[in-house]
Amino acid sequence: MGGEKDLENFIFGGARAWQVVKYSGYYELDKLLNALKGFLEEYGYGVTVEEHSENVKTSGKDIKIVFNAAKDVSEYVSYAIKTEIIILRQIDVVLEENGKQARKQRGDIEIRFKASVKKNYRGPFKPTAFSNFLRYVYERYIVMKRLDSLKEKL
């Protein structure tokens, strides 16, 4: 798996880097949020909203929503996905679709993702020099293939 010294190995994104999806146009914010939360919950993740802030400006609303999703895989490993949704200049609009009026929003959306595998998250190996050595041996020689397969599944 590599990174035996690290307790958190990023699959995509990083400690300071994100995977980013950008969109500008019309959307339904409620459907977007429900789809994101539903997808994560369908795969067994517990989803919590860390932050939800709105700032109203003359150009529209600026919204920031941060989700944390976590899933315990084993006694030693858990998955973590952090998602930030940043919406700039959102305004509510009424569009006509199939002869009916539909309320939607228009704005610029940026969705950022980070995913990581957290090891030793319950703390069976304490932060001492000897425990760090045992954790290194455990990860490097005993469960290396299992950790690699868990990393692939995320």
Side-chain angles (χ1 to χ4, degrees), residues 17 27 30 48 53 66 85 101 113 117 126 136-137 151:
Y27 54 89
D30 290 339
T48 59
S53 61
V66 179
I85 301 172
Q101 297 210 349
F113 297 98
V117 174
K126 305 298 180 215
Y136 174 82
V137 170
K151 189 175 177 181

Side-chain angles (χ1 to χ4, degrees), residues 19-123:
Q19 293 292 321
V20 179
V21 176
K22 293 182 180 184
Y23 173 77
S24 184
Y26 297 100
Y27 54 89
E28 293 183 57
L29 183 58
D30 290 339
K31 285 186 178 180
L32 174 69
L33 296 177
N34 289 336
L36 178 63
K37 287 174 74 174
F39 176 81
L40 292 168
E41 288 171 350
E42 182 180 321
Y43 282 90
Y45 287 87
V47 180
T48 59
V49 178
E50 180 181 317
E51 177 183 350
H52 185 141
S53 61
E54 295 186 14
N55 189 6
V56 179
K57 297 181 178 179
T58 56
S59 61
K61 280 195 248 181
D62 291 349
I63 301 171
K64 181 177 182 182
I65 303 167
V66 179
F67 288 104
N68 284 325
K71 178 179 178 180
D72 294 346
V73 181
S74 70
E75 293 290 319
Y76 189 71
V77 175
S78 73
Y79 293 153
I81 299 174
K82 186 169 187 169
T83 307
E84 284 188 359
I85 301 172
I86 299 171
I87 303 170
L88 301 175
R89 297 178 290 281
Q90 174 181 299
I91 58 172
D92 294 328
V93 295
V94 178
L95 298 175
E96 190 168 321
E97 289 182 343
N98 302 326
K100 296 181 181 179
Q101 297 210 349
R103 289 183 48 97
K104 293 194 176 195
Q105 293 80 33
R106 185 182 78 208
D108 302 323
I109 299 177
E110 184 174 294
I111 303 175
R112 301 174 180 177
F113 297 98
K114 267 184 202 189
S116 63
V117 174
K118 293 185 177 184
K119 303 178 293 184
N120 196 31
Y121 74 100
R122 289 191 179 167

Side-chain angles (χ1 to χ4, degrees), residues 9-21:
N9 295 104
F10 288 94
I11 306 307
F12 56 86
R16 291 182 289 204
W18 296 84
Q19 293 292 321
V20 179
V21 176

Side-chain angles (χ1 to χ4, degrees), residues 135-148:
R135 186 172 65 82
Y136 174 82
V137 170
Y138 177 71
E139 290 179 14
R140 185 72 178 189
Y141 300 106
I142 298 172
V143 295
M144 188 167 101
K145 289 182 181 179
R146 170 115 170 98
L147 290 176
D148 287 339

